[in-house]
Amino acid sequence: PTTPQLKHSSAIVMAAMDIGGRGGAATGAGANAAGARSAPIREEKVEVRAWIEKLAVDVEERGDDEDWEMEDWSKGHVVNQLRHLPSVAAVKQEGHKVFFRFRDMPPGTVYEAIDVSVGMEAGLIDDGTLAVLELDLRRPAAVRRLSDLVGESSAASATAAAVASAEATGAIEPPAAKRRRCWL
């Protein structure tokens, strides 16, 4: 059996479309008006090797070394972790976030979120292993990066424009800066 490509995953494409189609409202599978999870979220296995390698190159080549001085893990360490991720991720969407999980993480696993790109964070567990990537669909750059994977550039562009408009009007609040998170 082969692993499906994400471009065939309507759930993830619809996650991006849902954000743009509702004027930036943070809704989606598993989210209710209060943002609480209403039902278990189904994960889908997806091939991501080329997409992750492009991310690793982008992170490595960006001239932001001084920004990494504030992080607990070095830029080189995170790039190395990206390059050694499995080629398949378990993907799920919760509200305005899309999660790419690469390691088994029982509920309650604590990880540190480190910014790797605009709207994208790497979740490292205590031993420094990268276990999860989070994309914030409220950020146009993250939607564009997701579109690189799903191959839906026109849909992503429309979504990014809707998200930018919602941000400009204050319909979307900036993400919280909480660095330690718990996998649910």
Side-chain angles (χ1 to χ4, degrees):
T2 60
T3 304
Q5 293 293 322
L6 187 57
K7 62 184 169 187
H8 299 128
S9 171
S10 61
I12 302 303
V13 173
M14 289 309 294
M17 293 302 293
D18 189 34
I19 297 299
R22 297 179 189 224
T27 62
N32 62 24
R37 193 186 313 190
S38 59
I41 307 297
R42 185 177 59 92
E43 290 184 328
E44 183 174 334
K45 299 285 185 180
V46 175
E47 168 62 45
V48 294
R49 170 64 15 226
W51 184 70
I52 293 297
E53 182 54 34
K54 182 179 183 321
L55 173 63
V57 169
D58 290 350
V59 171
E60 186 174 49
E61 291 178 351
R62 200 169 43 244
D64 63 348
D65 293 345
E66 65 282 350
D67 294 340
W68 285 86
E69 294 173 5
M70 300 182 310
E71 302 291 356
D72 290 338
W73 300 100
S74 72
K75 181 177 182 175
H77 174 80
V78 173
V79 168
N80 186 49
Q81 286 293 306
L82 285 167
R83 289 207 164 108
H84 290 95
L85 286 172
S87 61
V88 175
V91 181
K92 71 177 181 178
Q93 186 262 331
E94 275 188 70
H96 65 274
K97 293 269 188 155
V98 176
F99 297 89
F100 291 81
R101 185 178 53 79
F102 296 93
R103 310 275 188 244
D104 287 334
M105 291 176 48
T109 301
V110 175
Y111 62 94
E112 181 178 0
I114 295 179
D115 294 328
V116 293
S117 183
V118 177
M120 182 180 240
E121 296 172 311
L124 282 77
I125 55 178
D126 288 338
D127 68 358
T129 301
L130 197 158
V132 64
L133 288 172
E134 301 178 15
L135 273 81
D136 186 339
L137 295 176
R138 299 174 297 182
R139 301 288 169 240
V143 174
R144 282 189 299 275
R145 194 168 290 278
L146 181 61
S147 75
D148 288 347
L149 183 59
V150 300
E152 299 288 332
S153 60
S154 61
S157 296
T159 301
V163 170
S165 173
E167 286 178 329
T169 62
I172 297 177
E173 296 179 19
K178 185 175 180 183
R179 304 304 278 176
R180 299 283 291 171
R181 299 188 184 147
C182 188
W183 184 254
L184 301 175

